[in-house]
Amino acid sequence: MIWEEVLAKFKELFGDEGEIGVYFAPGRVNMIGEHTDYNGGHVFPCALTIGTYGVARKREDKKLRFYSMNFDSVGVIESSVENLVPEKEAGWTNYPKGVMWAFGEKGMKVEQGMDLVLFGNIPNGSGLSSSASLEVLTGFILRDMFGFEVSNQDLALIGQFSENRFNGVNCGIMDQFAIAMGKAGHAIFLDTATLKYEYAPIKLENAKIVISSSNKKRGLGDSKYNERRSECERALEELKKVVSIEALGDLTEEQFEQYKDAVSEEVCRKRAKHAVYENQRTVKAVEALKNNDVKLFGELMNASHVSLRDDYEVTGIELDTLVEEAWKLDGVIGSRMTGAGFGGCTVSIVKEDAVEEFIEKVGAAYQKKIGYAADFYVVEIGDGPVKLA
Ligand code: GLA
């Protein structure tokens, strides 16, 4: 058991006295609906069975002692609940600290410190939301430890707030929501404009979800994520002058075509086109799944990638290579980049008997073209955060 190793590490570093809790929060993969969550559109993510393990104990003083088994060489990082400000040297601990700060901003001040040891089996910076997983995990631990009255949905909103305001990434609600609200075997069809959601069973019959990691590292903060967001905002401002809408997600494809000339910059028009069409594709994809039409679902995934590549321009040669090589194989039902893009992962639906061939062929072609290896994960859809012990 992974958590037993994390617990052992905790005891080795911080001793075994007192009340020690063991927790887990998943990572997530988005099946379709990319770059729609900050445009009032729909998303369709699911939680994974891989994620972040945390072992924690409340302290009587104000001290924070954090250790990650993923960054052993960094050692224990110390700070205090009285000094919750983002610092470059604080590295990954800016995520848990950000969540503690965010609780304070929401009227739930954390008055006591804690010892925390973490281990994540989500590849870092891969686009499977290792940071949102850590945020939701921290909120879940704080709730358990201090008895704060917050729902899982609140944990998602607090996580997003901390990422926006403490860590400087203007992300939408998708990742934290998928993680906090995850349900095994189901994806979450979420309307980000209203936070109304429904669980949709993922029945893939003889097919698997395969994640291919490009191993191209990216940091959201220094990527063009925030730039895309403001391009969409500029398009929305101009569209609002000719049609009564709140968000790009309010438009149908036909309406977009009718009003698009109101957007003066071509680049913003392309970004808005993606946001509108991707939102409609997501609605259609969930409908297809309800009708057991996995083939159509796959085609919509493929179309999503094309739009992210050509109109949203967030793919790059690494993700394009993984997807285009996947498309060549008969056993692939659909394949697209997932997450923010600019590196990270792709998600593919692959027939069970073709998974081995997929990993072999896509892997070899990627290595040849890009010059380093990709990694492949056959994943299962898991539950939201839990206390394990
Ligand atoms: C990142 C963000 C999400 C979402 C995706 C793109 O994962 O954290 O809010 O915008 O990119 O769909």
Side-chain angles (χ1 to χ4, degrees):
M1 291 296 247
I2 296 173
W3 68 262
E4 286 170 345
E5 287 171 42
V6 189
L7 179 59
K9 189 75 197 178
F10 182 95
K11 290 181 177 171
E12 177 196 320
L13 287 167
F14 300 134
D16 64 359
E17 59 282 357
E19 208 176 304
I20 301 172
V22 181
Y23 309 85
F24 171 80
R28 70 95 187 88
V29 65
N30 188 23
M31 299 304 294
I32 192 162
E34 216 65 82
H35 289 281
T36 48
D37 67 344
Y38 50 85
N39 285 310
H42 293 79
V43 291
F44 196 51
C46 41
L48 298 172
T49 54
I50 52 174
T52 317
Y53 294 83
V55 176
R57 181 180 55 206
K58 186 160 57 177
R59 296 179 57 92
E60 293 309 316
D61 59 12
K62 307 272 181 193
K63 214 185 244 185
L64 296 169
R65 293 194 296 178
F66 292 154
Y67 182 91
S68 167
M69 293 169 72
N70 297 85
F71 302 105
D72 278 314
S73 61
V74 178
V76 176
I77 300 183
E78 289 201 13
S79 55
S80 156
V81 290
E82 284 175 323
N83 181 31
L84 297 174
V85 287
E87 288 162 332
K88 208 158 185 264
E89 319 74 71
W92 66 267
T93 67
N94 280 322
Y95 289 105
K97 280 169 71 178
V99 173
M100 295 180 149
W101 168 84
F103 267 80
E105 292 293 297
K106 303 282 174 197
M108 295 169 281
K109 196 163 181 321
V110 178
E111 305 278 5
Q112 284 165 269
M114 71 160 140
D115 296 327
L116 173 69
V117 173
L118 292 173
F119 172 72
N121 56 357
I122 310 168
N124 285 315
S126 63
L128 301 180
S129 285
S130 52
S131 48
S133 175
L134 178 49
E135 287 157 5
V136 172
L137 179 76
T138 306
F140 190 81
I141 292 174
L142 292 176
R143 175 172 81 187
D144 187 61
M145 231 180 216
F146 297 107
F148 293 132
E149 285 189 20
V150 283
S151 64
N152 276 28
Q153 186 166 316
D154 295 332
L155 293 181
L157 290 163
I158 292 171
Q160 181 201 19
F161 182 74
S162 76
E163 176 122 13
N164 292 168
R165 302 280 294 277
F166 197 87
N167 283 298
V169 179
N170 247 334
C171 67
I173 188 61
M174 171 170 74
D175 303 345
Q176 291 82 2
F177 199 96
I179 288 165
M181 306 295 283
K183 181 169 166 176
H186 293 72
I188 308 174
F189 182 45
L190 170 68
D191 180 349
T192 63
T194 58
L195 294 190
K196 270 178 67 182
Y197 65 95
E198 79 189 66
Y199 290 108
I202 300 285
K203 292 177 292 196
L204 294 177
E205 295 191 17
N206 306 326
K208 291 277 180 197
I209 301 173
V210 182
I211 289 174
S212 313
S213 172
S214 68
N215 287 328
K216 183 190 179 197
K217 294 284 177 237
R218 94 199 137 73
L220 268 189
D222 46 54
S223 75
K224 294 190 171 288
Y225 185 89
N226 289 347
E227 182 185 295
R228 289 295 176 280
R229 196 170 170 150
S230 54
E231 287 162 348
C232 287
E233 279 160 12
R234 295 214 293 280
L236 177 64
E237 279 320 302
E238 291 183 308
L239 283 163
K240 274 182 164 172
K241 293 182 187 145
V242 293
V243 55
S244 164
I245 51 169
E246 294 294 323
L248 294 175
D250 295 341
L251 291 174
T252 61
E253 294 107 322
E254 294 73 26
Q255 285 171 317
F256 177 76
E257 294 304 327
Q258 185 182 344
Y259 297 115
K260 67 182 179 191
D261 293 335
V263 182
S264 54
E265 291 168 83
E266 199 206 332
V267 70
C268 297
R269 207 178 311 134
K270 276 165 70 172
R271 307 302 189 235
K273 179 180 177 201
H274 166 79
V276 171
Y277 278 68
E278 179 76 354
N279 179 42
Q280 298 298 332
R281 256 193 299 275
T282 306
V283 175
K284 287 177 197 154
V286 175
E287 197 55 40
L289 208 59
K290 279 188 187 154
N291 298 329
N292 285 320
D293 193 345
V294 180
K295 187 167 169 280
L296 177 57
F297 188 87
E299 285 164 10
L300 291 161
M301 286 175 76
N302 297 347
S304 163
H305 186 83
V306 171
S307 175
L308 288 156
R309 184 189 66 195
D310 298 344
D311 287 329
Y312 220 64
E313 297 179 280
V314 292
T315 58
I317 184 158
E318 296 84 3
L319 294 171
D320 289 339
T321 301
L322 287 172
V323 164
E324 282 155 23
E325 292 300 325
W327 286 345
K328 290 181 187 164
L329 304 176
D330 284 343
V332 173
I333 297 167
S335 184
R336 56 182 288 277
M337 62 149 267
T338 184
F342 314 105
C345 291
T346 68
V347 57
S348 309
I349 300 180
V350 185
K351 291 197 180 128
E352 227 158 309
D353 55 15
V355 169
E356 214 172 299
E357 182 198 7
F358 176 95
I359 294 176
E360 205 177 283
K361 292 214 169 129
V362 177
Y366 186 80
Q367 168 87 48
K368 187 157 174 247
K369 188 152 180 188
I370 306 298
Y372 51 84
D375 286 318
F376 299 90
Y377 306 86
V378 180
V379 294
E380 303 294 335
I381 303 177
D383 282 313
V386 285
K387 185 171 188 181
L388 297 167

